[in-house]
Amino acid sequence: DGLFPYEVQKRTLDNGLDLLVIETPEFKDVLNLNVLILAGSRNETEKGKTGLAHLFEHIAFRHKFEDPGGSYDARIETIGAFDNAWTWFDVTYYHPVTFTGHLDRLVRLQAERFVSMEFSERIYRTEAGAVLGEYRRIASDPSLRMEEVLSDLAYGPGHGYGHTTMGYLEDVRAMPATYAAGRKFYETYYRPNNAVVIVAGDVKADRVFPLLEDAFGAWEPAELPPVPEPPPLDGPKKAHVDWDSQ
């Protein structure tokens, strides 16, 4: 329809991973490598195990954290990247931006942390504590509580849309003790047939695709659990949220 001015070139690897390359040469020397894991709060349907998708957004930045020279954090800094991510109901989205000259290193670094993420139980517990701190900070604004009540009202506690991506407060508090469940979440959803890699910037697709295929090709696919359909709304619903402070 002509609304998007750039050609989107796509390939799908044998392991199910979708690769997209968007050449934007006018953004000279700019490189953006996006990895989308198609898992969010909608995939958290087990009682007491909410907030894991968001927790793994944190843990992905702690890949090999206990290796001073080889940690993800140390290596991403050496290529001058702006590196961040976010989690929502249906996706966890990672989007480092750096310079085109670092294409090879960035592709291999991203592939390494998603294909074979290394994290200890100590790191897991530490990041779970960081998530609780984030919850407390955000909870100082009434909008989080409003979102929690609205989600539960619309979908109920039995569906992944029935809670926020932060998770229920009682689950966030208990997160440090959920290492086994957390590792299972990673091993289930961080799979190539549940992901998309998008490279955009001052790049050439015929150079990018071979790099991606080589780096991500060994990522093992797995059967994904079905995502349950949300329950019917069954008519209008209403709730009131009290807020003690101004």
Side-chain angles (χ1 to χ4, degrees):
D1 56 14
L3 292 178
F4 192 65
Y6 304 104
E7 180 185 4
V8 179
Q9 302 182 60
K10 179 182 177 182
R11 294 183 188 175
T12 301
L13 301 186
D14 292 340
N15 58 12
L17 179 64
D18 286 330
L19 308 176
L20 280 69
V21 176
I22 306 170
E23 298 178 1
T24 60
E26 58 266 53
F27 294 93
K28 187 169 177 56
D29 296 329
V30 172
L31 168 64
N32 181 210
L33 196 160
N34 310 268
V35 177
L36 291 77
I37 303 297
L38 305 180
S41 64
R42 70 170 185 182
N43 304 92
E44 301 164 351
T45 56
E46 184 180 351
K47 184 176 175 59
K49 302 295 189 296
T50 62
L52 293 178
H54 174 242
L55 173 60
F56 268 88
E57 176 202 323
H58 282 242
I59 291 175
F61 290 89
R62 298 294 179 258
H63 170 60
K64 291 189 175 182
F65 190 71
E66 292 156 312
D67 179 355
S71 71
Y72 175 81
D73 187 59
R75 290 154 69 193
I76 197 72
E77 284 188 1
T78 65
I79 60 177
F82 169 80
D83 195 20
N84 213 332
W86 50 264
T87 309
W88 201 232
F89 292 102
D90 302 306
V91 66
T92 308
Y93 185 20
Y94 302 87
H95 49 91
V97 180
T98 186
F99 301 102
T100 308
H102 297 309
L103 174 64
D104 296 58
R105 294 173 65 189
L106 184 60
V107 166
R108 297 195 181 282
L109 182 54
Q110 297 309 305
E112 180 187 306
R113 74 162 168 164
F114 291 110
V115 175
S116 55
M117 194 183 300
E118 290 187 22
F119 59 94
S120 65
E121 185 169 359
R122 186 180 74 85
I123 291 297
Y124 185 92
R125 294 173 68 89
T126 299
E127 289 308 310
V131 170
L132 177 58
E134 184 179 353
Y135 185 101
R136 287 171 170 163
R137 174 179 58 81
I138 297 174
S140 64
D141 188 307
S143 61
L144 175 61
R145 184 59 189 149
M146 292 166 64
E147 185 182 349
E148 290 177 329
V149 172
L150 183 62
S151 298
D152 184 74
L153 199 66
Y155 296 101
H159 192 273
Y161 289 157
H163 59 269
T164 68
T165 51
M166 291 292 291
Y168 292 114
L169 178 56
E170 59 268 29
D171 294 349
V172 176
R173 284 175 172 154
M175 249 179 204
T178 63
Y179 177 73
R183 183 163 283 281
K184 181 181 178 182
F185 184 92
Y186 163 71
E187 292 173 351
T188 300
Y189 294 108
Y190 276 65
R191 295 290 183 173
N193 50 321
N194 195 47
V196 181
V197 175
I198 305 173
V199 175
D202 186 11
V203 296
K204 291 293 185 181
D206 58 0
R207 169 161 157 71
V208 174
F209 278 126
L211 290 173
L212 296 176
E213 291 170 7
D214 182 60
F216 288 93
W219 199 359
E220 291 288 339
E223 185 175 352
L224 300 167
V227 178
E229 290 292 326
L233 287 176
D234 293 330
K237 298 179 181 180
K238 182 178 180 180
H240 176 78
V241 176
D242 289 315
W243 195 255
D244 294 333
S245 59
Q246 293 183 351

